[in-house]
Amino acid sequence: MKIYNSLSKRKEEFIPLEGNKVKMYACGITVSGEAHIGHGYQALIYDIMRKYLKKLGYDVTYARNYTDVDDKIIAKSHETGIPADEYAAKMIENINKVMAGFHVDDPDVWLKATENIENIIEFVSTLIDKGHAYATKNGDVYFDVESFPAYGRLSNRNIEDALDGVRVDNDDEKKNAYDFALWKSAKAGEIYWESPWGKGRPGWHIECSAMNRAAFGEQIDIHGGGRDLIFPHHENEIAQTEALTGKPFVKYWTHNGLIKVNGQKMSKSLGNSLLLNELLEKYSDEAVKFALLQTNYRNDINITDDLFPEAEKHLYDFYSVLALVDKITVKLKGMELTVDGDDAMKAAELSEKIDGEFNACMSDDFNTALALSNLFGYFKELKKNLAEKTTGGYFAALGMAVQIRKTYSLLGLFKKVPAEYVAWYEEKNAEDIPAEVKAVAEERWQARASKDWAKSDELRAKLAEMGYAVKDSKTGYELIKN
Ligand SMILES: [Zn+2]
Protein backbone atom coordinates (compact mmCIF):
# COMPACT_ATOMS: atom_id res chain seq x y z
CA MET A 1 0.00 0.00 0.00
CA LYS A 2 1.41 3.35 -1.05
CA ILE A 3 0.10 6.66 0.22
CA TYR A 4 1.11 10.12 -0.94
CA ASN A 5 2.42 11.98 2.08
CA SER A 6 1.99 15.76 1.88
CA LEU A 7 4.82 16.13 4.39
CA SER A 8 7.50 14.34 2.31
CA LYS A 9 5.76 15.28 -0.96
CA ARG A 10 6.03 11.75 -2.31
CA LYS A 11 4.30 8.39 -2.28
CA GLU A 12 5.48 6.25 0.61
CA GLU A 13 4.97 2.64 1.59
CA PHE A 14 2.29 2.55 4.27
CA ILE A 15 3.59 1.13 7.54
CA PRO A 16 1.49 1.90 10.63
CA LEU A 17 3.16 3.14 13.80
CA GLU A 18 2.01 0.20 15.84
CA GLY A 19 1.61 -3.25 14.27
CA ASN A 20 -1.69 -3.65 12.51
CA LYS A 21 -3.44 -0.70 14.15
CA VAL A 22 -4.28 2.40 12.14
CA LYS A 23 -5.26 5.65 13.82
CA MET A 24 -6.87 7.94 11.33
CA TYR A 25 -8.32 11.41 11.71
CA ALA A 26 -9.99 13.73 9.22
CA CYS A 27 -10.93 17.34 9.89
CA GLY A 28 -14.67 17.61 9.62
CA ILE A 29 -17.17 20.34 9.03
CA THR A 30 -17.55 23.71 10.72
CA VAL A 31 -21.28 23.67 11.14
CA SER A 32 -22.07 27.27 10.23
CA GLY A 33 -24.26 26.19 7.30
CA GLU A 34 -25.63 23.22 5.36
CA ALA A 35 -23.26 20.65 3.83
CA HIS A 36 -22.11 21.42 0.30
CA ILE A 37 -20.60 19.07 -2.26
CA GLY A 38 -17.07 19.73 -0.95
CA HIS A 39 -18.08 18.47 2.50
CA GLY A 40 -19.71 15.41 0.97
CA TYR A 41 -16.65 14.71 -1.17
CA GLN A 42 -14.22 14.92 1.72
CA ALA A 43 -16.39 12.67 3.90
CA LEU A 44 -16.65 10.19 1.01
CA ILE A 45 -12.89 10.08 0.36
CA TYR A 46 -11.95 9.37 3.96
CA ASP A 47 -14.73 6.82 4.34
CA ILE A 48 -13.30 5.02 1.30
CA MET A 49 -9.73 5.19 2.63
CA ARG A 50 -10.91 3.70 5.92
CA LYS A 51 -12.84 0.93 4.18
CA TYR A 52 -9.96 0.03 1.89
CA LEU A 53 -7.45 -0.13 4.74
CA LYS A 54 -9.92 -2.39 6.55
CA LYS A 55 -10.18 -4.56 3.45
CA LEU A 56 -6.39 -4.95 3.57
CA GLY A 57 -6.81 -6.27 7.08
CA TYR A 58 -5.80 -3.26 9.14
CA ASP A 59 -7.51 -2.57 12.41
CA VAL A 60 -8.61 0.99 11.63
CA THR A 61 -10.05 3.53 14.03
CA TYR A 62 -11.30 6.54 12.13
CA ALA A 63 -12.20 9.75 13.92
CA ARG A 64 -13.80 12.86 12.51
CA ASN A 65 -14.87 16.07 14.14
CA TYR A 66 -17.53 18.71 14.02
CA THR A 67 -16.39 22.22 14.77
CA ASP A 68 -19.48 23.32 16.63
CA VAL A 69 -18.27 26.62 18.03
CA ASP A 70 -16.46 29.33 16.08
CA ASP A 71 -16.80 32.92 14.86
CA LYS A 72 -19.02 32.04 11.90
CA ILE A 73 -21.42 30.00 14.05
CA ILE A 74 -21.61 32.88 16.52
CA ALA A 75 -22.32 35.29 13.66
CA LYS A 76 -25.13 32.99 12.44
CA SER A 77 -26.51 32.81 15.93
CA HIS A 78 -26.66 36.62 16.12
CA GLU A 79 -28.21 36.76 12.66
CA THR A 80 -30.93 34.22 13.39
CA GLY A 81 -31.47 34.86 17.10
CA ILE A 82 -30.97 31.13 17.79
CA PRO A 83 -28.44 30.42 20.58
CA ALA A 84 -25.09 29.27 19.10
CA ASP A 85 -25.22 25.79 20.67
CA GLU A 86 -28.78 25.18 19.43
CA TYR A 87 -27.86 26.44 15.98
CA ALA A 88 -24.84 24.11 15.81
CA ALA A 89 -26.85 21.12 17.06
CA LYS A 90 -29.55 21.73 14.43
CA MET A 91 -26.93 21.98 11.66
CA ILE A 92 -25.26 18.75 12.79
CA GLU A 93 -28.64 17.01 12.66
CA ASN A 94 -29.25 18.31 9.11
CA ILE A 95 -25.76 17.39 7.93
CA ASN A 96 -25.97 13.89 9.40
CA LYS A 97 -29.24 13.38 7.58
CA VAL A 98 -27.90 14.44 4.20
CA MET A 99 -24.70 12.38 4.66
CA ALA A 100 -26.87 9.34 5.41
CA GLY A 101 -28.68 10.02 2.12
CA PHE A 102 -25.30 10.16 0.41
CA HIS A 103 -24.59 6.75 2.00
CA VAL A 104 -21.35 7.83 3.59
CA ASP A 105 -20.78 5.86 6.77
CA ASP A 106 -20.14 7.44 10.13
CA PRO A 107 -16.59 7.46 11.48
CA ASP A 108 -15.80 5.10 14.35
CA VAL A 109 -15.43 8.08 16.65
CA TRP A 110 -17.32 11.38 16.39
CA LEU A 111 -15.64 14.31 18.10
CA LYS A 112 -17.07 17.72 18.89
CA ALA A 113 -15.20 20.79 20.03
CA THR A 114 -17.79 21.68 22.67
CA GLU A 115 -17.47 18.22 24.24
CA ASN A 116 -13.72 18.62 24.60
CA ILE A 117 -13.39 21.99 26.31
CA GLU A 118 -11.61 20.48 29.34
CA ASN A 119 -9.12 18.68 27.09
CA ILE A 120 -8.52 21.89 25.19
CA ILE A 121 -7.96 23.97 28.33
CA GLU A 122 -5.55 21.37 29.68
CA PHE A 123 -3.66 21.34 26.36
CA VAL A 124 -3.38 25.14 26.25
CA SER A 125 -2.25 25.30 29.90
CA THR A 126 0.52 22.80 29.18
CA LEU A 127 1.67 24.82 26.17
CA ILE A 128 1.87 27.91 28.38
CA ASP A 129 3.83 25.97 31.04
CA LYS A 130 6.29 24.80 28.38
CA GLY A 131 6.83 28.31 27.07
CA HIS A 132 5.07 27.77 23.72
CA ALA A 133 2.05 29.95 24.41
CA TYR A 134 1.17 33.08 26.31
CA ALA A 135 -1.96 34.72 27.68
CA THR A 136 -2.72 38.40 27.17
CA LYS A 137 -4.40 40.65 29.68
CA ASN A 138 -7.59 40.59 27.55
CA GLY A 139 -7.85 36.88 28.32
CA ASP A 140 -6.73 35.62 24.90
CA VAL A 141 -4.07 32.94 24.57
CA TYR A 142 -1.71 32.77 21.59
CA PHE A 143 0.72 30.17 20.33
CA ASP A 144 4.23 31.61 20.17
CA VAL A 145 5.26 30.62 16.64
CA GLU A 146 8.89 31.58 17.18
CA SER A 147 9.14 29.01 19.96
CA PHE A 148 8.63 26.24 17.38
CA PRO A 149 11.45 26.46 14.80
CA ALA A 150 10.07 23.64 12.62
CA TYR A 151 7.03 25.80 11.79
CA GLY A 152 6.17 25.72 8.08
CA ARG A 153 7.47 22.25 7.20
CA LEU A 154 4.18 20.93 5.84
CA SER A 155 3.31 23.98 3.77
CA ASN A 156 6.92 24.76 2.83
CA ARG A 157 6.74 28.25 4.26
CA ASN A 158 9.13 30.08 6.49
CA ILE A 159 7.78 32.39 9.14
CA GLU A 160 7.93 35.47 6.92
CA ASP A 161 5.98 33.71 4.16
CA ALA A 162 3.53 32.56 6.75
CA LEU A 163 2.48 36.13 7.36
CA ASP A 164 1.11 36.38 3.83
CA GLY A 165 -1.51 33.81 4.58
CA VAL A 166 -2.82 35.00 7.91
CA ARG A 167 -5.37 37.59 8.70
CA VAL A 168 -3.60 40.18 10.79
CA ASP A 169 -6.09 40.91 13.51
CA ASN A 170 -4.30 43.92 14.96
CA ASP A 171 -4.18 42.63 18.46
CA ASP A 172 -1.55 44.86 20.05
CA GLU A 173 -0.93 42.27 22.70
CA LYS A 174 0.27 39.66 20.26
CA LYS A 175 4.05 39.20 20.33
CA ASN A 176 4.18 38.55 16.62
CA ALA A 177 1.62 38.98 13.88
CA TYR A 178 1.86 35.28 12.93
CA ASP A 179 1.04 34.01 16.42
CA PHE A 180 -2.36 32.35 16.33
CA ALA A 181 -5.16 32.14 18.89
CA LEU A 182 -5.51 29.06 21.09
CA TRP A 183 -8.19 30.61 23.26
CA LYS A 184 -10.40 33.59 22.50
CA SER A 185 -11.93 35.76 25.20
CA ALA A 186 -15.69 36.12 24.91
CA LYS A 187 -17.26 39.41 23.94
CA ALA A 188 -20.60 40.39 25.47
CA GLY A 189 -23.40 38.12 24.31
CA GLU A 190 -21.09 35.40 22.96
CA ILE A 191 -21.14 31.76 24.02
CA TYR A 192 -18.37 31.05 26.55
CA TRP A 193 -16.75 28.56 28.90
CA GLU A 194 -14.87 29.38 32.10
CA SER A 195 -11.10 29.04 31.85
CA PRO A 196 -7.96 30.03 33.77
CA TRP A 197 -7.84 33.06 31.43
CA GLY A 198 -11.45 34.10 31.94
CA LYS A 199 -14.59 33.48 29.92
CA GLY A 200 -13.92 32.40 26.37
CA ARG A 201 -13.90 29.70 23.73
CA PRO A 202 -11.26 27.63 21.94
CA GLY A 203 -9.57 28.71 18.73
CA TRP A 204 -10.20 26.49 15.74
CA HIS A 205 -6.75 24.91 15.35
CA ILE A 206 -6.37 23.74 18.95
CA GLU A 207 -9.50 21.60 18.90
CA CYS A 208 -8.05 19.13 16.38
CA SER A 209 -4.81 18.81 18.35
CA ALA A 210 -6.61 18.36 21.66
CA MET A 211 -9.22 15.94 20.31
CA ASN A 212 -6.60 13.83 18.55
CA ARG A 213 -4.69 13.54 21.79
CA ALA A 214 -7.86 12.66 23.70
CA ALA A 215 -8.92 10.04 21.13
CA PHE A 216 -5.59 8.55 20.12
CA GLY A 217 -2.70 9.73 22.29
CA GLU A 218 0.40 11.53 21.06
CA GLN A 219 0.81 10.14 17.54
CA ILE A 220 -1.47 9.07 14.73
CA ASP A 221 -0.95 7.31 11.40
CA ILE A 222 -3.09 9.26 8.96
CA HIS A 223 -4.41 12.79 9.15
CA GLY A 224 -6.54 14.18 6.38
CA GLY A 225 -8.49 17.12 5.14
CA GLY A 226 -8.98 19.35 2.13
CA ARG A 227 -5.85 20.84 0.58
CA ASP A 228 -7.00 24.29 1.67
CA LEU A 229 -6.40 23.20 5.27
CA ILE A 230 -2.64 22.70 4.87
CA PHE A 231 -2.00 26.28 5.80
CA PRO A 232 -2.54 27.51 8.37
CA HIS A 233 -4.77 24.87 9.98
CA HIS A 234 -2.63 21.74 9.68
CA GLU A 235 0.60 23.65 10.08
CA ASN A 236 -0.79 24.95 13.38
CA GLU A 237 -1.96 21.51 14.47
CA ILE A 238 1.60 20.23 14.00
CA ALA A 239 3.07 23.15 15.95
CA GLN A 240 0.67 22.71 18.87
CA THR A 241 0.95 18.95 19.19
CA GLU A 242 4.67 18.59 18.54
CA ALA A 243 5.51 21.50 20.85
CA LEU A 244 3.59 19.64 23.52
CA THR A 245 4.82 16.08 22.97
CA GLY A 246 8.21 16.51 21.30
CA LYS A 247 7.23 13.68 18.91
CA PRO A 248 6.16 13.65 15.26
CA PHE A 249 2.39 14.07 15.37
CA VAL A 250 1.30 12.44 12.10
CA LYS A 251 3.03 9.79 10.00
CA TYR A 252 1.07 10.33 6.77
CA TRP A 253 -0.55 13.64 5.95
CA THR A 254 -3.13 13.29 3.18
CA HIS A 255 -5.03 16.06 1.40
CA ASN A 256 -7.88 15.91 -1.05
CA GLY A 257 -8.27 18.32 -3.96
CA LEU A 258 -10.84 21.07 -4.08
CA ILE A 259 -14.06 21.39 -5.99
CA LYS A 260 -14.56 24.00 -8.66
CA VAL A 261 -17.78 24.80 -10.43
CA ASN A 262 -17.39 25.59 -14.12
CA GLY A 263 -13.76 26.43 -13.50
CA GLN A 264 -14.44 28.75 -10.58
CA LYS A 265 -13.65 28.25 -6.95
CA MET A 266 -16.81 27.37 -5.05
CA SER A 267 -17.69 30.03 -2.52
CA LYS A 268 -20.65 31.54 -0.77
CA SER A 269 -19.80 35.00 -2.09
CA LEU A 270 -19.91 33.77 -5.70
CA GLY A 271 -23.22 32.06 -4.98
CA ASN A 272 -22.08 28.88 -6.75
CA SER A 273 -22.06 26.54 -3.76
CA LEU A 274 -23.65 23.22 -4.60
CA LEU A 275 -25.57 22.07 -1.57
CA LEU A 276 -25.43 18.33 -1.10
CA ASN A 277 -29.13 17.95 -0.30
CA GLU A 278 -30.14 19.84 -3.46
CA LEU A 279 -27.76 17.79 -5.57
CA LEU A 280 -29.15 14.53 -4.19
CA GLU A 281 -32.67 15.63 -5.07
CA LYS A 282 -31.57 15.85 -8.71
CA TYR A 283 -29.15 12.95 -9.06
CA SER A 284 -28.73 9.49 -7.59
CA ASP A 285 -26.13 9.35 -4.82
CA GLU A 286 -24.20 6.76 -6.83
CA ALA A 287 -24.00 9.05 -9.85
CA VAL A 288 -22.60 11.85 -7.68
CA LYS A 289 -20.04 9.43 -6.24
CA PHE A 290 -19.15 8.04 -9.65
CA ALA A 291 -18.64 11.57 -11.01
CA LEU A 292 -16.41 12.61 -8.11
CA LEU A 293 -14.35 9.43 -7.95
CA GLN A 294 -13.42 9.66 -11.63
CA THR A 295 -10.73 12.09 -10.51
CA ASN A 296 -7.84 11.07 -8.29
CA TYR A 297 -8.58 12.42 -4.81
CA ARG A 298 -5.51 14.65 -4.79
CA ASN A 299 -6.58 16.57 -7.89
CA ASP A 300 -9.15 19.32 -8.08
CA ILE A 301 -12.52 18.44 -9.57
CA ASN A 302 -14.18 20.76 -12.00
CA ILE A 303 -17.95 20.36 -11.95
CA THR A 304 -19.46 21.19 -15.31
CA ASP A 305 -23.15 20.94 -16.23
CA ASP A 306 -22.55 17.57 -17.89
CA LEU A 307 -20.58 15.88 -15.12
CA PHE A 308 -23.43 14.37 -13.10
CA PRO A 309 -25.79 13.57 -16.02
CA GLU A 310 -22.93 11.77 -17.78
CA ALA A 311 -22.09 9.76 -14.67
CA GLU A 312 -25.74 8.87 -14.30
CA LYS A 313 -25.84 7.63 -17.91
CA HIS A 314 -22.71 5.49 -17.41
CA LEU A 315 -24.32 3.91 -14.39
CA TYR A 316 -27.50 3.37 -16.36
CA ASP A 317 -25.54 1.47 -19.01
CA PHE A 318 -23.84 -0.64 -16.34
CA TYR A 319 -27.05 -1.29 -14.42
CA SER A 320 -28.82 -2.26 -17.65
CA VAL A 321 -26.31 -5.08 -18.10
CA LEU A 322 -26.65 -6.14 -14.47
CA ALA A 323 -30.43 -6.10 -14.84
CA LEU A 324 -30.12 -8.36 -17.86
CA VAL A 325 -27.97 -10.79 -15.88
CA ASP A 326 -30.61 -10.80 -13.12
CA LYS A 327 -33.32 -11.49 -15.67
CA ILE A 328 -31.47 -14.44 -17.18
CA THR A 329 -30.77 -15.77 -13.70
CA VAL A 330 -34.47 -15.79 -12.95
CA LYS A 331 -35.21 -17.51 -16.27
CA LEU A 332 -32.64 -20.22 -15.62
CA LYS A 333 -33.83 -20.96 -12.12
CA GLY A 334 -35.03 -24.50 -11.87
CA MET A 335 -33.45 -25.50 -15.19
CA GLU A 336 -30.73 -28.05 -15.07
CA LEU A 337 -27.42 -26.65 -16.17
CA THR A 338 -24.15 -28.43 -16.42
CA VAL A 339 -21.13 -26.28 -15.81
CA ASP A 340 -17.88 -27.99 -16.58
CA GLY A 341 -14.59 -27.45 -14.82
CA ASP A 342 -13.22 -25.12 -17.49
CA ASP A 343 -16.25 -22.85 -17.28
CA ALA A 344 -15.99 -22.71 -13.51
CA MET A 345 -12.29 -21.93 -13.76
CA LYS A 346 -12.85 -19.16 -16.28
CA ALA A 347 -15.49 -17.51 -14.10
CA ALA A 348 -13.26 -17.74 -11.04
CA GLU A 349 -10.35 -16.20 -12.94
CA LEU A 350 -12.46 -13.30 -14.17
CA SER A 351 -13.70 -12.59 -10.65
CA GLU A 352 -10.20 -12.73 -9.27
CA LYS A 353 -8.97 -10.40 -11.98
CA ILE A 354 -11.63 -7.79 -11.18
CA ASP A 355 -10.89 -7.74 -7.48
CA GLY A 356 -7.12 -7.97 -7.98
CA GLU A 357 -7.04 -5.04 -10.38
CA PHE A 358 -9.22 -3.01 -8.07
CA ASN A 359 -6.83 -3.65 -5.20
CA ALA A 360 -3.85 -2.73 -7.36
CA CYS A 361 -5.48 0.63 -8.16
CA MET A 362 -6.45 1.36 -4.59
CA SER A 363 -3.07 0.29 -3.20
CA ASP A 364 -1.52 2.96 -5.37
CA ASP A 365 -2.61 5.95 -3.29
CA PHE A 366 -6.34 5.14 -3.57
CA ASN A 367 -6.54 5.52 -7.33
CA THR A 368 -10.31 5.43 -7.71
CA ALA A 369 -10.03 7.08 -11.13
CA LEU A 370 -8.31 4.06 -12.62
CA ALA A 371 -10.56 1.64 -10.74
CA LEU A 372 -13.63 3.27 -12.31
CA SER A 373 -12.19 3.39 -15.80
CA ASN A 374 -11.58 -0.39 -15.56
CA LEU A 375 -15.34 -0.85 -15.27
CA PHE A 376 -15.89 -0.01 -18.93
CA GLY A 377 -13.69 -2.93 -19.99
CA TYR A 378 -15.32 -5.32 -17.53
CA PHE A 379 -18.81 -4.56 -18.76
CA LYS A 380 -17.70 -4.96 -22.36
CA GLU A 381 -16.34 -8.40 -21.51
CA LEU A 382 -19.43 -9.24 -19.50
CA LYS A 383 -21.67 -8.42 -22.45
CA LYS A 384 -19.45 -10.48 -24.74
CA ASN A 385 -19.86 -13.46 -22.43
CA LEU A 386 -23.63 -13.02 -22.38
CA ALA A 387 -23.73 -12.76 -26.18
CA GLU A 388 -22.09 -16.20 -26.44
CA LYS A 389 -25.39 -17.64 -25.23
CA THR A 390 -23.61 -20.65 -23.82
CA THR A 391 -23.72 -22.04 -20.31
CA GLY A 392 -20.04 -21.18 -19.92
CA GLY A 393 -20.54 -17.64 -21.17
CA TYR A 394 -23.50 -17.11 -18.94
CA PHE A 395 -21.67 -18.55 -15.96
CA ALA A 396 -18.71 -16.21 -16.58
CA ALA A 397 -21.05 -13.20 -16.95
CA LEU A 398 -22.82 -14.03 -13.72
CA GLY A 399 -19.49 -14.40 -11.91
CA MET A 400 -18.33 -11.04 -13.22
CA ALA A 401 -21.58 -9.31 -12.29
CA VAL A 402 -21.45 -10.65 -8.74
CA GLN A 403 -17.80 -9.70 -8.36
CA ILE A 404 -18.24 -6.17 -9.74
CA ARG A 405 -21.06 -5.52 -7.31
CA LYS A 406 -19.07 -6.92 -4.41
CA THR A 407 -15.78 -5.19 -5.19
CA TYR A 408 -17.16 -1.79 -6.13
CA SER A 409 -19.50 -1.61 -3.17
CA LEU A 410 -16.42 -0.31 -1.35
CA LEU A 411 -16.79 2.86 -3.42
CA GLY A 412 -20.50 2.95 -2.65
CA LEU A 413 -21.51 1.76 -6.12
CA PHE A 414 -23.87 -0.92 -7.46
CA LYS A 415 -25.80 -1.16 -4.22
CA LYS A 416 -29.15 -0.61 -5.88
CA VAL A 417 -31.47 -3.18 -7.45
CA PRO A 418 -30.41 -2.99 -11.13
CA ALA A 419 -33.92 -3.17 -12.59
CA GLU A 420 -35.04 -0.41 -10.22
CA TYR A 421 -32.20 1.91 -11.18
CA VAL A 422 -32.89 1.28 -14.87
CA ALA A 423 -36.59 2.03 -14.46
CA TRP A 424 -35.87 5.13 -12.36
CA TYR A 425 -33.41 6.48 -14.91
CA GLU A 426 -35.70 5.85 -17.85
CA GLU A 427 -38.62 7.52 -16.18
CA LYS A 428 -36.54 10.50 -15.13
CA ASN A 429 -35.17 11.02 -18.62
CA ALA A 430 -38.40 10.22 -20.39
CA GLU A 431 -39.97 13.30 -18.83
CA ASP A 432 -37.89 15.46 -21.13
CA ILE A 433 -39.22 13.84 -24.28
CA PRO A 434 -42.17 15.74 -25.81
CA ALA A 435 -45.47 13.90 -26.02
CA GLU A 436 -45.60 14.12 -29.84
CA VAL A 437 -42.19 12.42 -30.09
CA LYS A 438 -43.33 9.69 -27.74
CA ALA A 439 -46.49 9.22 -29.80
CA VAL A 440 -44.50 8.75 -33.03
CA ALA A 441 -42.16 6.32 -31.28
CA GLU A 442 -45.13 4.32 -30.01
CA GLU A 443 -46.71 4.24 -33.46
CA ARG A 444 -43.44 2.97 -34.89
CA TRP A 445 -43.21 0.25 -32.25
CA GLN A 446 -46.70 -0.93 -33.21
CA ALA A 447 -45.72 -0.90 -36.89
CA ARG A 448 -42.73 -3.08 -36.09
CA ALA A 449 -44.89 -5.42 -34.05
CA SER A 450 -47.13 -5.91 -37.08
CA LYS A 451 -44.01 -6.26 -39.28
CA ASP A 452 -44.85 -3.19 -41.33
CA TRP A 453 -41.20 -2.41 -41.99
CA ALA A 454 -41.83 0.35 -44.52
CA LYS A 455 -43.94 2.31 -42.09
CA SER A 456 -41.48 1.64 -39.29
CA ASP A 457 -38.64 3.07 -41.39
CA GLU A 458 -40.72 6.08 -42.36
CA LEU A 459 -41.48 6.82 -38.70
CA ARG A 460 -37.85 6.33 -37.75
CA ALA A 461 -36.95 9.02 -40.28
CA LYS A 462 -39.65 11.24 -38.83
CA LEU A 463 -38.18 10.78 -35.33
CA ALA A 464 -34.74 11.70 -36.66
CA GLU A 465 -36.23 14.92 -38.02
CA MET A 466 -37.67 15.60 -34.59
CA GLY A 467 -34.15 15.16 -33.15
CA TYR A 468 -34.40 11.64 -31.76
CA ALA A 469 -32.69 8.38 -32.54
CA VAL A 470 -34.33 5.12 -31.56
CA LYS A 471 -32.61 2.02 -30.30
CA ASP A 472 -34.54 -1.23 -30.36
CA SER A 473 -34.15 -4.29 -28.21
CA LYS A 474 -36.23 -7.44 -27.88
CA THR A 475 -38.35 -6.02 -25.13
CA GLY A 476 -38.71 -2.41 -26.12
CA TYR A 477 -37.07 0.70 -27.44
CA GLU A 478 -35.12 3.64 -26.14
CA LEU A 479 -35.28 7.18 -27.44
CA ILE A 480 -31.98 9.03 -27.55
CA LYS A 481 -31.81 12.74 -28.10
CA ASN A 482 -29.44 13.61 -30.94
ZN1 LIG B 1 -8.48 20.05 11.95
Side-chain angles (χ1 to χ4, degrees), residues 110-124:
W110 266 127
L111 297 164
K112 284 181 200 156
T114 58
E115 289 169 4
N116 281 274
I117 300 293
E118 266 177 50
N119 292 327
I120 292 169
I121 290 174
E122 196 256 329
F123 202 113
V124 174

Side-chain angles (χ1 to χ4, degrees), residues 25 27 208 223 233-234 237:
Y25 180 93
C27 292
C208 289
H223 193 314
H233 184 55
H234 288 163
E237 279 189 41

